[in-house]
Amino acid sequence: MRLSLIAAALLALAPAARADEVTIFAAASLKDALDAIAAEWQKTHGDTLVISYAGSSQLAKQIQQGAPADLFISASTAWMDAVQKSDDIDPGTRRDLLGNTLVLVGTDKPASADIADLPVLLGDGKLAMALVDSVPAGQYGKEALTTLGLWEKVEGQVAQADNVRAALKLVSTAEAPLGIVYGSDAVAEPGVGVIATFPQDSHAPITYPAAVTRAADTPQAAAFLDSLTQEPARSILESQGFTVAP
């Protein structure tokens, strides 16, 4: 009897188990899909997922400066390469997670058109794009326009935004008649429609690499990463216009 009372007292003094908090830095284009996935994860695991969305370049620089991220999902292999070179991720956890397409969008349900007609379609209006020198969606867009011989024709009309979702908002709020975003962004915003899809050979493959950071202090970061190629995450990502690695 005495031993059982002592055991009960010790259990009462033991700290209660707590769920982990996982901090995720993710490309802005992932917001809708990742928010839905995180909600499902938290229901079944009890962990708290704290997700910061921004352009991949901004997130990579924050990680290099010591920001406390556990997991990084980039829309650019170049920015993942940068944080790997600075030894801020665990390279053994790195994987190419997703793919995407690049599209020209307009408000509501615009008629389909040929990308070559962009200067005519644009008229005197602005072309919304993410930052063309640092944000992946902007870099892919500039590369595609250059390949197709259109960049010099529209460069002076480009309205650059901090990230691809900010560029999308410029179109959805009619501040710019046209924009270049990912196919997944067009799915996420009912106020815009796809006018044309850029040829895949006009730009480098759009790849989303992901990796656990060196600063990660919870095994749940790797577990969440593993879950992104499984159900229900896979179906959510595919419904949002992404392709998911096997």
Side-chain angles (χ1 to χ4, degrees):
M1 180 69 175
R2 182 177 176 80
L3 289 175
S4 63
L5 289 173
I6 293 173
L10 289 173
L11 286 172
L13 291 172
R18 67 175 181 82
D20 283 345
E21 181 173 283
V22 183
T23 301
I24 302 165
F25 279 18
S29 53
L30 285 163
K31 180 171 174 49
D32 293 80
L34 208 54
D35 280 352
I37 293 167
E40 291 298 319
W41 174 273
Q42 290 174 152
K43 286 179 187 177
T44 57
H45 291 76
D47 303 310
T48 300
L49 302 182
V50 179
I51 309 176
S52 293
Y53 298 103
S56 298
S57 57
Q58 181 180 349
L59 296 172
K61 291 173 183 176
Q62 289 176 358
I63 290 170
Q64 290 175 320
Q65 291 166 4
D70 297 307
L71 178 64
F72 178 36
I73 309 175
S74 172
S76 162
T77 55
W79 284 110
M80 186 62 78
D81 289 344
V83 293
Q84 181 168 336
K85 186 176 181 181
S86 60
D87 199 33
D88 287 300
I89 62 164
D90 177 355
T93 66
R94 178 175 173 171
R95 67 183 71 176
D96 287 339
L97 188 66
L98 304 169
N100 214 329
T101 56
L102 193 69
V103 297
L104 177 69
V105 296
T107 53
D108 300 321
K109 295 182 179 179
S112 297
D114 193 313
I115 290 288
D117 296 330
L118 175 58
V120 175
L121 295 171
L122 195 57
D124 295 328
K126 294 292 185 180
L127 177 64
M129 296 177 66
L131 294 170
V132 299
D133 291 328
S134 59
V135 176
Q139 292 173 314
Y140 289 126
K142 180 179 179 180
E143 180 186 2
L145 291 173
T146 301
T147 299
L148 298 172
L150 296 170
W151 176 249
E152 291 185 355
K153 298 178 181 179
V154 301
E155 179 181 5
Q157 294 169 264
V158 171
Q160 297 188 53
D162 286 343
N163 58 65
V164 69
R165 284 304 174 92
L168 180 68
K169 187 173 183 180
L170 290 176
V171 180
S172 67
T173 57
E175 294 182 58
L178 301 176
I180 297 176
V181 298
Y182 295 126
S184 59
D185 297 308
V187 172
E189 174 51 68
V192 306
V194 175
I195 297 172
T197 300
F198 284 87
Q200 290 186 354
D201 61 1
S202 67
H203 56 82
I206 300 173
T207 302
Y208 287 66
V212 176
T213 68
R214 289 288 192 195
D217 60 0
T218 169
Q220 291 301 82
F224 181 73
L225 175 55
D226 287 340
S227 78
L228 293 177
T229 57
Q230 304 166 14
E231 296 297 344
R234 175 179 288 272
S235 292
I236 293 172
L237 287 161
E238 290 175 344
S239 71
Q240 290 289 327
F242 295 95
T243 56
V244 185

